[in-house]
Amino acid sequence: MTRDRYVTECDRIIAEFGENENPDALREWMRLMVRSDIFFLGVYVCEREDLNRDWLFERCKEVQDNPDGYIDIWAREHYKENPIDTPIFTPDGWRLFGDLEVGDYVYSPNGNHVKVLARTGIQSDPVQYEVQFETFQGDVIETIQAGSQHLWDVISCKRTVDKDYWEEERLNTQQMYDYTSKQKKLKRKRWIRVPYASALKMKEKDLPIDPYTLGVWLGDGSCGSHGLIGKLKELGLGDVRSETKFIPSIYLEGSIEQRLELLRGLMDTDGGLDTKGRARFNTTSKEMAKNVMWLVRSLGEVPHLYEGTRQYVVTFSAKRVDCFTISHHKKRVKDKALDYNYWYIKDVRRVESKPSRCIQVEGGRYLIGEHLIPTHNSTIITWLKTMQDILINPEERICI
């Protein structure tokens, strides 16, 4: 039965009871319906019009017809959404947000992979915003589009007469727009900030060349090539020149320790520190610079790229990523203010809406965008099923 036909039939039955002036019979029929039909409970008793959609009707019927003993979930169309064309990194590589399925895995801000528990159909909030995330220096910027009610775990400033203090809270995109708009008018601005994500915990790979050794070779190809030529050719590195070097993808997807050892090999040869005590990697290969940027990002740090006439320079905090084995480099590393470890939200602007969807993941948080921005999943309702369980058995205990 389609949703339209179901609604028409329910409306007809309710109207007949009304015409016959038989409220007791109507009340008894509704008692039976709320115990056996989640969709009826939501739409007709709780008057949730936002539930009255085809895909939610189908999901309710699926849950009702195939109970499995678990609390079932489905999303309200609360516009806690991201556009379907937003990139998201998963244990299987890069995907589009709209292509995620229930049962897929994504990464959480603590670096673990978490399962997608639920997703909505394609929808579009009539009010969407583009949130601009910047590093402390303002040289790395990413914009993430989201619905007005999409949730973000942030740190914002609360002002009193005596002092300012920072507080962790959960804001939706509309609230961040309001906050940012107010800050723009103030002389002493206090931007919302979001902590960087931790290193991604990927699985250890069976690598043909030790990662530190490959890093040293990529940093200084003239050193220690003997005995590696065959394996280098297998990795596509047999005939590369300094300006065409790259890191094979399997090395960018290894465990934290494997990726860290690769970075140490690179930094011990082509790396160093700048005058501010930040780690610095130099290369003439644009692809290599791009690979090192991702390598550092996957280890929980936000790198910065500077392009010269003939070389690329990647810098990052060596305090957050222990990337040197050479002692005189280690001694020159300087500790930087914690302000460097955050994304700052300095602009939130209204944009044209795109087709979008919401997801729910284990733990409630996941990473989105090319720079792995932490965000919060959709608010998922479980209360209809909980209400129905109580209506069926008032003595049943429900854990929330």
PDB file of all heavy atoms in Angstrom, residues 240-257:
ATOM      1  N   VAL A 240      61.074   8.017 -12.010  1.00  0.00           N
ATOM      2  CA  VAL A 240      60.664   9.369 -11.632  1.00  0.00           C
ATOM      3  C   VAL A 240      61.874  10.277 -11.447  1.00  0.00           C
ATOM      4  O   VAL A 240      62.964   9.830 -11.099  1.00  0.00           O
ATOM      5  CB  VAL A 240      59.819   9.373 -10.339  1.00  0.00           C
ATOM      6  CG1 VAL A 240      58.516   8.629 -10.542  1.00  0.00           C
ATOM      7  CG2 VAL A 240      60.606   8.790  -9.176  1.00  0.00           C
ATOM      8  N   ARG A 241      61.654  11.561 -11.716  1.00  0.00           N
ATOM      9  CA  ARG A 241      62.664  12.578 -11.441  1.00  0.00           C
ATOM     10  C   ARG A 241      62.216  13.366 -10.218  1.00  0.00           C
ATOM     11  O   ARG A 241      61.104  13.177  -9.718  1.00  0.00           O
ATOM     12  CB  ARG A 241      62.843  13.498 -12.649  1.00  0.00           C
ATOM     13  CG  ARG A 241      63.247  12.764 -13.920  1.00  0.00           C
ATOM     14  CD  ARG A 241      63.478  13.750 -15.066  1.00  0.00           C
ATOM     15  NE  ARG A 241      62.274  14.529 -15.358  1.00  0.00           N
ATOM     16  CZ  ARG A 241      61.290  14.097 -16.151  1.00  0.00           C
ATOM     17  NH1 ARG A 241      61.358  12.882 -16.690  1.00  0.00           N
ATOM     18  NH2 ARG A 241      60.245  14.861 -16.385  1.00  0.00           N
ATOM     19  N   SER A 242      63.055  14.254  -9.766  1.00  0.00           N
ATOM     20  CA  SER A 242      62.725  14.995  -8.542  1.00  0.00           C
ATOM     21  C   SER A 242      61.411  15.749  -8.669  1.00  0.00           C
ATOM     22  O   SER A 242      60.626  15.820  -7.724  1.00  0.00           O
ATOM     23  CB  SER A 242      63.857  15.977  -8.201  1.00  0.00           C
ATOM     24  OG  SER A 242      64.053  16.902  -9.253  1.00  0.00           O
ATOM     25  N   GLU A 243      61.123  16.294  -9.872  1.00  0.00           N
ATOM     26  CA  GLU A 243      59.910  17.083 -10.055  1.00  0.00           C
ATOM     27  C   GLU A 243      58.669  16.233 -10.346  1.00  0.00           C
ATOM     28  O   GLU A 243      57.556  16.755 -10.447  1.00  0.00           O
ATOM     29  CB  GLU A 243      60.089  18.113 -11.170  1.00  0.00           C
ATOM     30  CG  GLU A 243      60.330  17.534 -12.552  1.00  0.00           C
ATOM     31  CD  GLU A 243      61.805  17.279 -12.834  1.00  0.00           C
ATOM     32  OE1 GLU A 243      62.597  17.229 -11.875  1.00  0.00           O
ATOM     33  OE2 GLU A 243      62.153  17.143 -14.025  1.00  0.00           O
ATOM     34  N   THR A 244      58.861  14.910 -10.476  1.00  0.00           N
ATOM     35  CA  THR A 244      57.704  14.030 -10.731  1.00  0.00           C
ATOM     36  C   THR A 244      57.516  12.975  -9.634  1.00  0.00           C
ATOM     37  O   THR A 244      56.714  12.059  -9.782  1.00  0.00           O
ATOM     38  CB  THR A 244      57.856  13.314 -12.090  1.00  0.00           C
ATOM     39  OG1 THR A 244      59.063  12.524 -12.097  1.00  0.00           O
ATOM     40  CG2 THR A 244      57.884  14.325 -13.235  1.00  0.00           C
ATOM     41  N   LYS A 245      58.236  13.109  -8.543  1.00  0.00           N
ATOM     42  CA  LYS A 245      58.105  12.143  -7.449  1.00  0.00           C
ATOM     43  C   LYS A 245      56.716  12.205  -6.820  1.00  0.00           C
ATOM     44  O   LYS A 245      56.063  13.241  -6.844  1.00  0.00           O
ATOM     45  CB  LYS A 245      59.166  12.410  -6.380  1.00  0.00           C
ATOM     46  CG  LYS A 245      60.563  11.954  -6.764  1.00  0.00           C
ATOM     47  CD  LYS A 245      61.537  12.190  -5.620  1.00  0.00           C
ATOM     48  CE  LYS A 245      62.939  11.707  -5.980  1.00  0.00           C
ATOM     49  NZ  LYS A 245      63.900  11.947  -4.875  1.00  0.00           N
ATOM     50  N   PHE A 246      56.310  11.083  -6.241  1.00  0.00           N
ATOM     51  CA  PHE A 246      55.021  11.015  -5.552  1.00  0.00           C
ATOM     52  C   PHE A 246      55.089   9.884  -4.524  1.00  0.00           C
ATOM     53  O   PHE A 246      56.006   9.064  -4.552  1.00  0.00           O
ATOM     54  CB  PHE A 246      53.888  10.748  -6.545  1.00  0.00           C
ATOM     55  CG  PHE A 246      53.976   9.408  -7.228  1.00  0.00           C
ATOM     56  CD1 PHE A 246      53.315   8.297  -6.710  1.00  0.00           C
ATOM     57  CD2 PHE A 246      54.734   9.244  -8.385  1.00  0.00           C
ATOM     58  CE1 PHE A 246      53.410   7.058  -7.321  1.00  0.00           C
ATOM     59  CE2 PHE A 246      54.843   8.008  -9.009  1.00  0.00           C
ATOM     60  CZ  PHE A 246      54.168   6.908  -8.475  1.00  0.00           C
ATOM     61  N   ILE A 247      54.139   9.875  -3.628  1.00  0.00           N
ATOM     62  CA  ILE A 247      54.048   8.807  -2.634  1.00  0.00           C
ATOM     63  C   ILE A 247      52.975   7.822  -3.092  1.00  0.00           C
ATOM     64  O   ILE A 247      51.818   8.222  -3.289  1.00  0.00           O
ATOM     65  CB  ILE A 247      53.677   9.361  -1.246  1.00  0.00           C
ATOM     66  CG1 ILE A 247      54.737  10.346  -0.765  1.00  0.00           C
ATOM     67  CG2 ILE A 247      53.522   8.220  -0.237  1.00  0.00           C
ATOM     68  CD1 ILE A 247      54.382  11.044   0.545  1.00  0.00           C
ATOM     69  N   PRO A 248      53.299   6.552  -3.292  1.00  0.00           N
ATOM     70  CA  PRO A 248      52.281   5.565  -3.690  1.00  0.00           C
ATOM     71  C   PRO A 248      51.123   5.546  -2.703  1.00  0.00           C
ATOM     72  O   PRO A 248      51.313   5.672  -1.491  1.00  0.00           O
ATOM     73  CB  PRO A 248      53.062   4.244  -3.684  1.00  0.00           C
ATOM     74  CG  PRO A 248      54.485   4.640  -3.906  1.00  0.00           C
ATOM     75  CD  PRO A 248      54.638   5.957  -3.191  1.00  0.00           C
ATOM     76  N   SER A 249      49.924   5.376  -3.210  1.00  0.00           N
ATOM     77  CA  SER A 249      48.720   5.489  -2.381  1.00  0.00           C
ATOM     78  C   SER A 249      48.707   4.507  -1.219  1.00  0.00           C
ATOM     79  O   SER A 249      48.192   4.822  -0.140  1.00  0.00           O
ATOM     80  CB  SER A 249      47.469   5.300  -3.243  1.00  0.00           C
ATOM     81  OG  SER A 249      47.477   4.017  -3.864  1.00  0.00           O
ATOM     82  N   ILE A 250      49.266   3.299  -1.409  1.00  0.00           N
ATOM     83  CA  ILE A 250      49.234   2.306  -0.329  1.00  0.00           C
ATOM     84  C   ILE A 250      49.983   2.807   0.906  1.00  0.00           C
ATOM     85  O   ILE A 250      49.658   2.463   2.047  1.00  0.00           O
ATOM     86  CB  ILE A 250      49.813   0.958  -0.822  1.00  0.00           C
ATOM     87  CG1 ILE A 250      49.556  -0.128   0.229  1.00  0.00           C
ATOM     88  CG2 ILE A 250      51.298   1.074  -1.137  1.00  0.00           C
ATOM     89  CD1 ILE A 250      49.949  -1.520  -0.226  1.00  0.00           C
ATOM     90  N   TYR A 251      50.996   3.677   0.696  1.00  0.00           N
ATOM     91  CA  TYR A 251      51.762   4.224   1.817  1.00  0.00           C
ATOM     92  C   TYR A 251      51.005   5.352   2.515  1.00  0.00           C
ATOM     93  O   TYR A 251      51.295   5.663   3.678  1.00  0.00           O
ATOM     94  CB  TYR A 251      53.125   4.722   1.329  1.00  0.00           C
ATOM     95  CG  TYR A 251      54.114   3.595   1.115  1.00  0.00           C
ATOM     96  CD1 TYR A 251      54.109   2.859  -0.062  1.00  0.00           C
ATOM     97  CD2 TYR A 251      55.027   3.239   2.099  1.00  0.00           C
ATOM     98  CE1 TYR A 251      54.997   1.809  -0.262  1.00  0.00           C
ATOM     99  CE2 TYR A 251      55.924   2.191   1.919  1.00  0.00           C
ATOM    100  CZ  TYR A 251      55.899   1.478   0.733  1.00  0.00           C
ATOM    101  OH  TYR A 251      56.776   0.438   0.556  1.00  0.00           O
ATOM    102  N   LEU A 252      50.064   5.965   1.828  1.00  0.00           N
ATOM    103  CA  LEU A 252      49.248   7.018   2.429  1.00  0.00           C
ATOM    104  C   LEU A 252      48.080   6.443   3.216  1.00  0.00           C
ATOM    105  O   LEU A 252      47.353   7.179   3.890  1.00  0.00           O
ATOM    106  CB  LEU A 252      48.715   7.960   1.342  1.00  0.00           C
ATOM    107  CG  LEU A 252      49.768   8.750   0.563  1.00  0.00           C
ATOM    108  CD1 LEU A 252      49.111   9.511  -0.582  1.00  0.00           C
ATOM    109  CD2 LEU A 252      50.524   9.701   1.475  1.00  0.00           C
ATOM    110  N   GLU A 253      47.875   5.126   3.113  1.00  0.00           N
ATOM    111  CA  GLU A 253      46.741   4.466   3.747  1.00  0.00           C
ATOM    112  C   GLU A 253      47.165   3.427   4.771  1.00  0.00           C
ATOM    113  O   GLU A 253      46.376   2.578   5.185  1.00  0.00           O
ATOM    114  CB  GLU A 253      45.872   3.800   2.656  1.00  0.00           C
ATOM    115  CG  GLU A 253      45.314   4.796   1.652  1.00  0.00           C
ATOM    116  CD  GLU A 253      44.723   4.119   0.430  1.00  0.00           C
ATOM    117  OE1 GLU A 253      44.785   2.870   0.366  1.00  0.00           O
ATOM    118  OE2 GLU A 253      44.216   4.830  -0.448  1.00  0.00           O
ATOM    119  N   GLY A 254      48.431   3.469   5.198  1.00  0.00           N
ATOM    120  CA  GLY A 254      48.925   2.528   6.187  1.00  0.00           C
ATOM    121  C   GLY A 254      48.528   2.938   7.596  1.00  0.00           C
ATOM    122  O   GLY A 254      47.785   3.900   7.817  1.00  0.00           O
ATOM    123  N   SER A 255      49.030   2.215   8.571  1.00  0.00           N
ATOM    124  CA  SER A 255      48.732   2.516   9.975  1.00  0.00           C
ATOM    125  C   SER A 255      49.377   3.842  10.370  1.00  0.00           C
ATOM    126  O   SER A 255      50.200   4.405   9.639  1.00  0.00           O
ATOM    127  CB  SER A 255      49.266   1.394  10.865  1.00  0.00           C
ATOM    128  OG  SER A 255      50.691   1.375  10.826  1.00  0.00           O
ATOM    129  N   ILE A 256      49.015   4.341  11.549  1.00  0.00           N
ATOM    130  CA  ILE A 256      49.603   5.589  12.037  1.00  0.00           C
ATOM    131  C   ILE A 256      51.119   5.467  12.095  1.00  0.00           C
ATOM    132  O   ILE A 256      51.844   6.366  11.648  1.00  0.00           O
ATOM    133  CB  ILE A 256      49.040   5.952  13.429  1.00  0.00           C
ATOM    134  CG1 ILE A 256      47.564   6.348  13.317  1.00  0.00           C
ATOM    135  CG2 ILE A 256      49.842   7.089  14.059  1.00  0.00           C
ATOM    136  CD1 ILE A 256      46.901   6.648  14.656  1.00  0.00           C
ATOM    137  N   GLU A 257      51.634   4.365  12.639  1.00  0.00           N
ATOM    138  CA  GLU A 257      53.077   4.184  12.759  1.00  0.00           C
ATOM    139  C   GLU A 257      53.745   4.109  11.389  1.00  0.00           C
ATOM    140  O   GLU A 257      54.836   4.687  11.182  1.00  0.00           O
ATOM    141  CB  GLU A 257      53.390   2.927  13.569  1.00  0.00           C
ATOM    142  CG  GLU A 257      54.864   2.749  13.913  1.00  0.00           C
ATOM    143  CD  GLU A 257      55.435   3.902  14.726  1.00  0.00           C
ATOM    144  OE1 GLU A 257      54.675   4.533  15.498  1.00  0.00           O
ATOM    145  OE2 GLU A 257      56.640   4.173  14.587  1.00  0.00           O
TER     146      GLU A 257
END
